[in-house]
Amino acid sequence: VQLLESGGGSVQAGGSLRLACTASGYIFRNFCMGWFRQLPGKEREAVATIDWSGGLQYAESVKDRFTISRDNDKNTLYLQMNSLKPEDTAMYYCARRNFRNCKLGASDFFYWGQGTQVTVSS
């Protein structure tokens, strides 16, 4: 299993970014996928998840600003981030759970990408 994130960068507050995570080595459509973020020295935070059938879950802090989606034909997970705030600054990771269904607070996401940095300036 390999997960490779892209799309991070630096933007001003109010701007937008779209992250992508390309998956390989397994049947992408069969598994729950999620986006997480982490600041140095802080706990990792679940941002959004999407299950095998397209069911969505979001952290309260990003609801109505971020949109998670997946393209099963391209084996790619996306995170569209709008109205970005400085507090969204973090390393963002995509991850795969070993189940079809998702649980936002679950700790059993066993496969992770290397991360992509998002920096939002005020």
Side-chain angles (χ1 to χ4, degrees):
V1 174
Q2 287 192 322
L3 303 171
L4 183 63
E5 301 97 336
S6 61
S10 297
V11 295
Q12 290 192 325
S16 299
L17 284 173
R18 188 174 84 151
L19 305 184
C21 171
T22 303
S24 60
Y26 70 101
I27 301 174
F28 178 73
R29 67 179 65 245
N30 284 354
F31 292 91
C32 161
M33 297 293 297
W35 285 101
F36 296 77
R37 64 188 182 186
Q38 187 171 26
L39 281 169
K42 293 199 172 182
E43 286 193 8
R44 186 173 55 212
E45 174 189 20
V47 174
T49 62
I50 182 168
D51 66 27
W52 70 284
S53 64
L56 309 176
Q57 298 180 65
Y58 293 96
E60 284 295 325
S61 58
V62 307
K63 202 173 287 187
D64 300 325
R65 299 189 298 121
F66 290 10
T67 303
I68 188 172
S69 62
R70 66 193 299 163
D71 185 332
N72 290 332
D73 292 331
K74 294 183 178 179
N75 290 347
T76 302
L77 177 73
Y78 299 100
L79 185 68
Q80 178 66 44
M81 305 185 295
N82 298 329
S83 302
L84 281 161
K85 304 175 180 180
E87 52 263 43
D88 294 319
T89 296
M91 185 72 79
Y92 283 72
Y93 299 89
C94 70
R96 194 202 92 175
R97 194 173 186 227
N98 281 355
F99 300 95
R100 290 191 170 198
N101 295 313
C102 292
K103 186 176 179 181
L104 191 62
S107 59
D108 54 355
F109 283 79
F110 290 119
Y111 297 97
W112 296 83
Q114 85 292 346
T116 185
Q117 178 67 38
V118 171
T119 302
V120 184
S121 57
S122 57

PDB file of all heavy atoms in Angstrom, residues 5 23 25 38 41 46 50 69-70 76 88 97 112 122:
ATOM      1  N   GLU A   5       0.693  12.142  -1.118  1.00  0.00           N
ATOM      2  CA  GLU A   5      -0.029  13.406  -1.108  1.00  0.00           C
ATOM      3  C   GLU A   5       0.661  14.452  -1.982  1.00  0.00           C
ATOM      4  O   GLU A   5       1.883  14.417  -2.160  1.00  0.00           O
ATOM      5  CB  GLU A   5      -0.143  13.976   0.309  1.00  0.00           C
ATOM      6  CG  GLU A   5      -0.851  13.104   1.315  1.00  0.00           C
ATOM      7  CD  GLU A   5       0.117  12.302   2.149  1.00  0.00           C
ATOM      8  OE1 GLU A   5       1.250  12.062   1.678  1.00  0.00           O
ATOM      9  OE2 GLU A   5      -0.258  11.896   3.268  1.00  0.00           O
ATOM     10  N   ALA A  23      -3.350   6.736  -4.457  1.00  0.00           N
ATOM     11  CA  ALA A  23      -3.175   5.458  -3.783  1.00  0.00           C
ATOM     12  C   ALA A  23      -2.770   4.374  -4.770  1.00  0.00           C
ATOM     13  O   ALA A  23      -3.169   4.405  -5.942  1.00  0.00           O
ATOM     14  CB  ALA A  23      -4.465   5.060  -3.081  1.00  0.00           C
ATOM     15  N   GLY A  25      -1.449  -0.108  -4.836  1.00  0.00           N
ATOM     16  CA  GLY A  25      -1.147  -1.325  -4.110  1.00  0.00           C
ATOM     17  C   GLY A  25      -2.339  -2.022  -3.495  1.00  0.00           C
ATOM     18  O   GLY A  25      -2.174  -3.035  -2.801  1.00  0.00           O
ATOM     19  N   GLN A  38      -1.556  17.683  11.454  1.00  0.00           N
ATOM     20  CA  GLN A  38      -0.780  17.692  12.695  1.00  0.00           C
ATOM     21  C   GLN A  38       0.219  18.841  12.694  1.00  0.00           C
ATOM     22  O   GLN A  38       0.898  19.091  11.693  1.00  0.00           O
ATOM     23  CB  GLN A  38      -0.035  16.371  12.864  1.00  0.00           C
ATOM     24  CG  GLN A  38       0.657  16.208  14.197  1.00  0.00           C
ATOM     25  CD  GLN A  38       1.188  14.804  14.390  1.00  0.00           C
ATOM     26  OE1 GLN A  38       1.473  14.089  13.436  1.00  0.00           O
ATOM     27  NE2 GLN A  38       1.330  14.402  15.641  1.00  0.00           N
ATOM     28  N   GLY A  41       4.546  18.795  17.794  1.00  0.00           N
ATOM     29  CA  GLY A  41       4.299  18.778  19.221  1.00  0.00           C
ATOM     30  C   GLY A  41       2.845  18.674  19.620  1.00  0.00           C
ATOM     31  O   GLY A  41       2.527  18.693  20.803  1.00  0.00           O
ATOM     32  N   ALA A  46      -8.145  14.436  13.142  1.00  0.00           N
ATOM     33  CA  ALA A  46      -8.887  13.979  11.970  1.00  0.00           C
ATOM     34  C   ALA A  46      -9.628  15.154  11.367  1.00  0.00           C
ATOM     35  O   ALA A  46     -10.307  15.902  12.069  1.00  0.00           O
ATOM     36  CB  ALA A  46      -9.859  12.881  12.366  1.00  0.00           C
ATOM     37  N   ILE A  50     -14.121   9.727   4.167  1.00  0.00           N
ATOM     38  CA  ILE A  50     -15.086   9.328   3.152  1.00  0.00           C
ATOM     39  C   ILE A  50     -15.053   7.809   3.054  1.00  0.00           C
ATOM     40  O   ILE A  50     -13.990   7.209   2.912  1.00  0.00           O
ATOM     41  CB  ILE A  50     -14.782   9.999   1.792  1.00  0.00           C
ATOM     42  CG1 ILE A  50     -15.827   9.605   0.746  1.00  0.00           C
ATOM     43  CG2 ILE A  50     -13.368   9.710   1.307  1.00  0.00           C
ATOM     44  CD1 ILE A  50     -15.760  10.463  -0.524  1.00  0.00           C
ATOM     45  N   SER A  69     -13.432  14.290  -1.183  1.00  0.00           N
ATOM     46  CA  SER A  69     -14.035  13.536  -2.278  1.00  0.00           C
ATOM     47  C   SER A  69     -13.053  12.474  -2.737  1.00  0.00           C
ATOM     48  O   SER A  69     -11.877  12.499  -2.356  1.00  0.00           O
ATOM     49  CB  SER A  69     -14.417  14.460  -3.441  1.00  0.00           C
ATOM     50  OG  SER A  69     -13.274  15.097  -3.979  1.00  0.00           O
ATOM     51  N   ARG A  70     -13.544  11.567  -3.543  1.00  0.00           N
ATOM     52  CA  ARG A  70     -12.682  10.522  -4.081  1.00  0.00           C
ATOM     53  C   ARG A  70     -13.055  10.223  -5.514  1.00  0.00           C
ATOM     54  O   ARG A  70     -14.230  10.304  -5.882  1.00  0.00           O
ATOM     55  CB  ARG A  70     -12.767   9.261  -3.213  1.00  0.00           C
ATOM     56  CG  ARG A  70     -14.110   8.552  -3.213  1.00  0.00           C
ATOM     57  CD  ARG A  70     -14.196   7.499  -2.089  1.00  0.00           C
ATOM     58  NE  ARG A  70     -13.170   6.468  -2.245  1.00  0.00           N
ATOM     59  CZ  ARG A  70     -12.817   5.636  -1.251  1.00  0.00           C
ATOM     60  NH1 ARG A  70     -13.392   5.717  -0.065  1.00  0.00           N
ATOM     61  NH2 ARG A  70     -11.905   4.722  -1.471  1.00  0.00           N
ATOM     62  N   THR A  76      -7.682   8.187  -6.428  1.00  0.00           N
ATOM     63  CA  THR A  76      -7.236   9.435  -5.839  1.00  0.00           C
ATOM     64  C   THR A  76      -8.266  10.005  -4.869  1.00  0.00           C
ATOM     65  O   THR A  76      -9.463  10.009  -5.153  1.00  0.00           O
ATOM     66  CB  THR A  76      -6.920  10.478  -6.929  1.00  0.00           C
ATOM     67  OG1 THR A  76      -5.923   9.943  -7.812  1.00  0.00           O
ATOM     68  CG2 THR A  76      -6.390  11.764  -6.320  1.00  0.00           C
ATOM     69  N   ASP A  88      -5.451  26.698  10.182  1.00  0.00           N
ATOM     70  CA  ASP A  88      -5.438  25.500   9.353  1.00  0.00           C
ATOM     71  C   ASP A  88      -4.009  25.077   8.997  1.00  0.00           C
ATOM     72  O   ASP A  88      -3.804  24.027   8.385  1.00  0.00           O
ATOM     73  CB  ASP A  88      -6.220  25.734   8.054  1.00  0.00           C
ATOM     74  CG  ASP A  88      -7.698  25.947   8.285  1.00  0.00           C
ATOM     75  OD1 ASP A  88      -8.282  25.231   9.123  1.00  0.00           O
ATOM     76  OD2 ASP A  88      -8.281  26.833   7.623  1.00  0.00           O
ATOM     77  N   ARG A  97      -8.126   3.354   6.237  1.00  0.00           N
ATOM     78  CA  ARG A  97      -8.582   2.479   7.314  1.00  0.00           C
ATOM     79  C   ARG A  97      -8.741   1.079   6.751  1.00  0.00           C
ATOM     80  O   ARG A  97      -8.974   0.913   5.557  1.00  0.00           O
ATOM     81  CB  ARG A  97      -9.914   3.011   7.860  1.00  0.00           C
ATOM     82  CG  ARG A  97     -10.341   2.413   9.177  1.00  0.00           C
ATOM     83  CD  ARG A  97     -11.571   3.102   9.735  1.00  0.00           C
ATOM     84  NE  ARG A  97     -11.857   2.588  11.071  1.00  0.00           N
ATOM     85  CZ  ARG A  97     -13.050   2.220  11.481  1.00  0.00           C
ATOM     86  NH1 ARG A  97     -14.091   2.331  10.657  1.00  0.00           N
ATOM     87  NH2 ARG A  97     -13.230   1.763  12.696  1.00  0.00           N
ATOM     88  N   TRP A 112      -0.419   5.329   5.888  1.00  0.00           N
ATOM     89  CA  TRP A 112      -0.296   6.779   5.867  1.00  0.00           C
ATOM     90  C   TRP A 112       0.609   7.230   4.741  1.00  0.00           C
ATOM     91  O   TRP A 112       1.582   6.556   4.383  1.00  0.00           O
ATOM     92  CB  TRP A 112       0.281   7.268   7.202  1.00  0.00           C
ATOM     93  CG  TRP A 112      -0.619   6.991   8.350  1.00  0.00           C
ATOM     94  CD1 TRP A 112      -0.731   5.840   9.056  1.00  0.00           C
ATOM     95  CD2 TRP A 112      -1.566   7.896   8.919  1.00  0.00           C
ATOM     96  NE1 TRP A 112      -1.696   5.961  10.027  1.00  0.00           N
ATOM     97  CE2 TRP A 112      -2.219   7.216   9.971  1.00  0.00           C
ATOM     98  CE3 TRP A 112      -1.928   9.218   8.646  1.00  0.00           C
ATOM     99  CZ2 TRP A 112      -3.216   7.814  10.747  1.00  0.00           C
ATOM    100  CZ3 TRP A 112      -2.912   9.816   9.417  1.00  0.00           C
ATOM    101  CH2 TRP A 112      -3.544   9.113  10.453  1.00  0.00           C
ATOM    102  N   SER A 122      -1.675  35.254   7.727  1.00  0.00           N
ATOM    103  CA  SER A 122      -2.749  36.227   7.987  1.00  0.00           C
ATOM    104  C   SER A 122      -2.489  37.541   7.279  1.00  0.00           C
ATOM    105  O   SER A 122      -1.417  37.770   6.753  1.00  0.00           O
ATOM    106  CB  SER A 122      -2.876  36.462   9.484  1.00  0.00           C
ATOM    107  OG  SER A 122      -1.646  36.888  10.011  1.00  0.00           O
TER     108      SER A 122
END
